Amino acid sequence: MSSQARRRSRGTVYLALCGLVLACLGFGAALWAQDHTTWFKRLRGGNAWSLTYQGDAVGGQGSALTIRYRFNPDSFKPAHRIEQLGRTHLPWSVHALVNTGEVARVEVEPEGHTVATCRILLDDVRVVAEGKSPAPGRPAVCDVTTSSTPEKWPR
C-alpha cells in the first residue's frame, strides 16, 4: 500500500472519530441543558401551573354558600392565598396559578338541598382532581399537589 493511500485511510478514520466525538459532545450538551434549564427555572422561582377550578351542582342549577380556593398571586414568591367567595351561582369556574410542588385546592359548599361537584383542570384540558359532596349541603373538596418538576406533570 502506498504512503498516499495510507494517509487517505488514516484521514478517513480521523474524520470518523472526530464526527463521533462531536456527536457525543452534542448529545451530552443536550442532556446537560435539559437538566440545567429546569434548575435555572427553579432558581428563578417563577414556576407555576395554570389550573382551572370548577364547581357545579348535580342535576342542574344550584348555588354555593361559599367557595374557597388556593392559589399563588405571584409565581416568583412561595406565598399562597386562599380566596373565599360568598353565595355563588353554579356552575362556576376560575383560572388560577399554583406554584410547582404546592397544593391546589378548591372547596364548594352548596346550599342545603344541593349536591356539589368540583374539578381541577390542568391547562383547561386534563382533569387532575375531582370530587363530589358526600351528601346534600356537604362540601365537595378537590385537592392535588402540583408537580415539583416544571413542565412535567406525572400521568
Side-chain angles (χ1 to χ4, degrees), residues 21-147:
V21 167
L22 285 174
C24 288
L25 286 173
F27 182 72
L31 289 176
W32 181 88
Q34 179 183 6
D35 184 50
H36 286 79
T37 54
T38 300
W39 178 80
F40 287 128
K41 286 181 181 180
R42 277 196 204 115
L43 180 67
R44 183 186 74 195
N47 292 306
W49 293 99
S50 175
L51 301 175
T52 302
Y53 294 127
Q54 295 179 338
D56 206 350
V58 173
Q61 297 288 330
S63 290
L65 295 176
T66 58
I67 295 177
R68 287 185 271 311
Y69 63 94
R70 190 176 195 267
F71 70 101
N72 292 91
D74 186 345
S75 64
F76 289 92
K77 295 180 182 175
H80 70 274
R81 284 190 45 206
I82 297 176
E83 184 74 29
Q84 180 167 327
L85 308 174
R87 184 174 297 276
T88 306
H89 292 291
L90 299 175
W92 163 89
S93 71
V94 69
H95 295 282
L97 292 178
V98 177
N99 286 353
T100 56
E102 295 291 324
V103 173
R105 180 180 173 93
V106 62
E107 184 177 326
V108 180
E109 184 181 348
E111 294 177 323
H113 62 281
T114 305
V115 173
T117 62
C118 61
R119 294 190 329 164
I120 301 175
L121 286 83
L122 174 63
D123 295 328
D124 278 333
V125 178
R126 182 173 162 201
V127 177
V128 293
E130 57 188 334
K132 182 179 176 182
S133 300
R138 304 277 301 172
V141 178
C142 295
D143 63 1
V144 64
T145 301
T146 64
S147 173

